[in-house]
Amino acid sequence: KDPLIRLAQRDDVSLTRAWAIRFVSILAALLLGSLLILLTGYDPFSVYVSMFGGCFSSPLAFQQTLKLAIPLLGAAVAIAPAFRMRFWNIGVEGQITMGGIFATFFALNYASRVPSWLLLVLMFAAGALGGAFWGVIPAFFRARWGTNETLFTLMLNYIAIGIVKYLQGGPWEKKPKGTQQIGLFAKAARLPTIGGVTSGILIVGALVLFMYIYLKYTKHGYEVSVVGESEPTARYAGIQVQRVMVRTMALSGAIAGIVGFILVSGINYTL
């Protein structure tokens, strides 16, 4: 029996119509938001103007907007391959945190030992490795024993946060003891800025381009899509589903870990 309502992607939508749908969707969201604003007793137009002005009215406001956009966009890129595979990675926060932890290790211990450019490369690689490690754990359990990745990845967030709390009150606590804080990074461990904004925005932009090419034009991206559409079909086509699952989550976690590196070295200058 056919369901009463069925959602399916349409492949025959023209570019003009696709953009029209996006425009109408944004307009509908603004109208719905206006109703909620009206219920609070405020003028929706004034609120939207204030929001827009707060984001773009001055160079400083625009810098702050970009500062907030970097981790959000980076997290979106990180979950893209996992969600395309229908692996519900709710643990990006934990993967970002682990990337920050791995990067911080080098920032605290090697800032005076190696040149700044090499230190940043090491922190970048360590961040990617930390995030990938944290992403592979739930992927392995899902591939091997069919565990629920939504709960698994979510719970790993709290473990990562707990590790940070241990470090800030333990081995990485700055002097004097009792501050419960991790010290600021040396200048050698900080990403340079461009127009008052961390150069990490260029890294995130490169990740966006990389992910678009990866998902749309590579064999691995095709395998991710097939596994997401139907695991039995993927197995019938000779795709090793378990390997694709672990590989994709390693990539997802690695990108999240890079975002963690950008946060600690380009925005907060500390874990």
Side-chain angles (χ1 to χ4, degrees):
K1 184 179 179 180
D2 292 333
L4 179 63
I5 299 176
R6 183 173 66 90
L7 300 178
Q9 180 177 346
R10 294 182 296 181
D11 297 325
D12 58 344
V13 179
S14 65
L15 183 62
T16 302
R17 187 172 183 180
W19 279 104
I21 292 173
R22 294 185 179 98
F23 175 78
V24 172
S25 299
I26 294 172
L27 183 61
L30 291 174
L31 291 174
L32 180 59
S34 298
L35 293 177
L36 298 176
I37 294 171
L38 282 172
L39 290 176
T40 64
Y42 291 93
D43 174 28
F45 180 77
S46 299
V47 171
Y48 284 139
V49 169
S50 297
M51 291 170 62
F52 187 84
C55 293
F56 306 108
S57 62
S58 69
L60 180 60
F62 185 58
Q63 290 172 11
Q64 293 301 311
T65 299
L66 290 178
K67 180 179 177 180
L68 294 173
I70 289 172
L72 294 175
L73 179 58
V77 176
I79 66 173
F83 276 35
R84 175 68 68 88
M85 190 177 59
R86 297 183 186 272
F87 187 104
W88 309 119
N89 180 16
I90 314 298
V92 171
E93 180 182 359
Q95 293 146 26
I96 289 174
T97 302
M98 291 302 297
I101 292 172
F102 276 53
T104 298
F105 171 81
F106 286 92
L108 296 180
N109 294 285
Y110 291 88
S112 60
R113 301 184 185 182
V114 297
S116 179
W117 68 268
L118 179 57
L119 176 61
L120 290 173
V121 170
L122 290 173
M123 291 171 63
F124 177 95
L129 180 63
F133 166 69
W134 216 240
V136 164
I137 295 174
F140 174 78
F141 276 80
R142 160 74 187 276
R144 184 68 177 82
W145 292 291
T147 57
N148 185 302
E149 74 275 9
T150 304
L151 294 176
F152 206 127
T153 54
L154 179 63
M155 292 299 102
L156 282 175
N157 289 340
Y158 298 100
I159 296 176
I161 294 171
I163 294 174
V164 174
K165 290 182 178 180
Y166 160 72
L167 292 172
Q168 72 183 38
W172 289 357
E173 184 181 18
K174 73 176 184 179
K175 297 179 180 180
K177 291 294 184 178
T179 59
Q180 292 288 307
Q181 292 180 347
I182 297 172
L184 292 175
F185 291 176
K187 290 185 178 180
R190 301 183 183 186
L191 283 170
T193 59
I194 301 174
V197 181
T198 174
S199 55
I201 192 171
L202 300 179
I203 299 176
V204 173
L207 290 175
V208 172
L209 180 61
F210 162 78
M211 187 54 63
Y212 173 77
I213 296 173
Y214 179 83
L215 291 178
K216 193 172 181 65
Y217 295 109
T218 69
K219 177 185 176 183
H220 286 183
Y222 172 74
E223 291 176 343
V224 168
S225 298
V226 175
V227 172
E229 288 294 329
S230 172
E231 290 187 21
T233 301
R235 292 190 178 92
Y236 180 78
I239 296 175
Q240 297 184 3
V241 174
Q242 293 181 340
R243 177 181 296 179
V244 172
M245 197 171 293
V246 173
R247 182 185 68 206
T248 303
M249 273 304 296
L251 175 63
S252 180
I255 293 176
I258 293 171
V259 175
F261 154 71
I262 295 172
L263 280 173
V264 298
S265 65
I267 297 179
N268 297 323
Y269 303 133
T270 182
L271 181 61

